[in-house]
Amino acid sequence: MKPIIFSGMQATGVPSLGNYVGAVKNWVELQKDYSCLFCVVDMHSITIRHDPAEFRKKCRELLTLYIAMGLNPQEHIVYFQSHVPAHAELAWILNCFTYMGELSRMTQFKDKSKKNEDNINAGLFTYPVLQAADILLFNTKLVPIGDDQKQHLELCRDIAVRFNKIYGDIFVVPDAYIPPVGAKIKSLQEPTKKMSKSETANLNNVIHLLDPPDVIIKKFKRAVTDSLNKIEYNPEEQPGVSNLLTIYACATNQTMQQCLAEFANTTSYGNFKLKVGGAVVAMLEPLQKRYHELIADTAYIDEIIANNAERANQLAQTTLTKVKNAIGFMPKSQ
């Protein structure tokens, strides 16, 4: 048995370049050495108000993009969180082993509460417990995360250790996998902030994976740099240039040292930005082509959805049964 990896993404918009190079591109590589579950975390997505029809469309598109990006639904499991009831059932149990103080310290809860002051719901508060259930349900060993998810994973580990101390070794305590380059791609217009797929105020901030090539190039032309006229990796003094270098390294599969050597004699930021934009277009071209082929094949995607949900449910029930037995729930039959 290979060690298990679990990861997921919300269907709140078309994934961004940051989602791809900071997360999914690494997921594809990890498939070689791990048994993987890749989830569309639709249950997490309803902490904010949404249009049901549009939400359903986005969920299907995201699962299709998973496959287009290289996730293998035959060898691994690609599925919707809401199709596996054990996620919610385990989350309730884990709520009873999580402290209010722990949840109130979560940075993302504080940030999202400020953005949704008219809808600070209980789901937003207990979001990290459902996230812990997602991970612990499948005996996950490794969780690919960005810097912004470290706090949630630490809470997940604390919950698992706390439960295991009471009931024995029920849960695998997961570790984080953080890629060395591209873990946090920044906004093109505000390079001190994360590139977010849900950006709506300024679409020039974000490259979406299905943006046409001409749109991608235009966005890179408008990317913020500085007035220093040098290409160096220095996130403190040159956040815009450093962000573009990180993107180029990820798009071309080069080290930062190789990228710096390539641009050593480049003094024009305009040419630099065009080169980065062209590399991103080239990287996304086969992905976009594959996505459009898949989204048109309704029968194939329907089959993937049904088969992968069944496989995920079988795995989830094994862990959930162990947990229920451990805490003393009455079995259905003696």
Side-chain angles (χ1 to χ4, degrees):
M1 289 284 292
K2 294 181 179 179
I4 294 172
I5 275 185
F6 176 92
S7 199
M9 192 181 298
Q10 290 193 51
T12 51
V14 176
S16 72
L17 179 66
N19 298 133
Y20 181 52
V21 302
V24 182
K25 198 176 180 186
N26 294 297
W27 297 357
V28 173
E29 291 301 312
L30 292 169
Q31 289 181 121
K32 299 173 184 175
D33 300 312
Y34 296 87
S35 294
C36 303
L37 294 103
F38 302 113
C39 186
V40 176
V41 289
D42 49 355
M43 292 167 64
H44 284 292
S45 304
I46 64 171
T47 57
I48 57 174
R49 300 292 174 254
H50 60 276
D51 175 79
E54 181 65 20
F55 177 52
R56 191 175 293 114
K57 178 174 177 287
K58 286 180 179 178
C59 287
R60 188 180 182 92
E61 288 176 349
L62 178 55
L63 184 133
T64 305
L65 262 172
Y66 274 178
I67 301 169
M69 287 187 279
L71 304 186
N72 188 326
Q74 277 78 38
E75 293 185 12
H76 304 279
I77 300 178
V78 182
Y79 74 106
F80 293 113
Q81 184 184 27
S82 62
H83 288 184
V84 181
H87 281 279
E89 200 168 350
L90 181 58
W92 169 251
I93 294 171
L94 296 184
N95 269 321
C96 301
F97 295 85
T98 308
Y99 302 132
M100 297 282 286
E102 291 175 317
L103 294 175
S104 66
R105 289 192 291 272
M106 294 294 106
T107 303
Q108 283 205 8
F109 171 70
K110 296 174 184 178
D111 292 344
K112 290 184 179 181
S113 295
K114 290 177 182 177
K115 295 177 182 178
N116 300 278
E117 291 183 350
D118 60 340
N119 183 27
I120 304 175
N121 55 72
L124 195 63
F125 188 65
T126 61
Y127 181 108
V129 183
L130 177 57
Q131 197 171 47
D134 299 339
I135 295 165
L136 299 178
L137 196 56
F138 298 104
N139 295 318
T140 303
K141 180 57 183 171
L142 205 60
V143 185
I145 58 171
D147 292 340
D148 59 332
Q149 290 294 329
K150 285 182 179 179
Q151 191 181 34
H152 285 181
L153 185 61
E154 282 304 311
L155 177 61
C156 173
R157 288 170 55 85
D158 290 344
I159 295 169
V161 169
R162 184 176 301 145
F163 192 95
N164 287 350
K165 282 184 178 179
I166 300 171
Y167 297 109
D169 293 330
I170 303 297
F171 294 125
V172 172
V173 180
D175 294 316
Y177 172 81
I178 301 175
V181 176
K184 200 170 185 179
I185 299 297
K186 305 296 183 66
S187 160
L188 295 183
Q189 295 290 308
E190 300 174 88
T192 59
K193 297 181 180 180
K194 176 183 175 181
M195 182 183 284
S196 172
K197 70 177 183 294
S198 54
E199 172 70 61
T200 56
N202 184 354
L203 292 179
N204 287 320
N205 275 327
V206 56
I207 303 294
H208 292 108
L209 295 188
L210 298 180
D211 280 347
D214 61 326
V215 171
I216 292 173
I217 295 297
K218 284 179 182 178
K219 288 182 179 181
F220 274 104
K221 283 182 178 179
R222 295 169 181 163
V224 168
T225 49
D226 51 55
S227 58
L228 300 179
N229 292 322
K230 59 181 181 179
I231 298 175
E232 294 182 359
Y233 185 76
N234 188 334
E236 295 297 322
E237 293 185 9
Q238 294 185 273
V241 170
S242 299
N243 185 43
L244 293 174
L245 280 167
T246 299
I247 291 170
Y248 190 75
C250 293
T252 58
N253 290 316
Q254 296 186 83
T255 66
M256 186 58 66
Q257 289 71 24
Q258 289 172 322
C259 295
L260 289 169
E262 183 174 343
F263 293 111
N265 298 317
T266 302
T267 57
S268 167
Y269 282 163
N271 291 338
F272 171 52
K273 289 191 281 189
L274 282 174
K275 193 78 178 288
V276 177
V280 170
V281 168
M283 177 179 67
L284 296 183
E285 182 180 11
L287 183 160
Q288 292 181 352
K289 180 182 178 182
R290 180 62 175 150
Y291 168 80
H292 290 299
E293 292 170 351
L294 288 167
I295 201 70
D297 194 344
T298 304
Y300 174 72
I301 296 299
D302 286 345
E303 182 182 1
I304 292 297
I305 291 171
N307 289 344
N308 281 243
E310 182 178 354
R311 293 164 62 203
N313 272 297
Q314 289 175 352
L315 286 176
Q317 281 302 318
T318 300
T319 300
L320 187 60
T321 299
K322 285 173 61 179
V323 171
K324 288 181 174 181
N325 288 338
I327 62 177
F329 281 175
M330 182 65 70
K332 291 180 180 179
S333 59
Q334 294 288 356

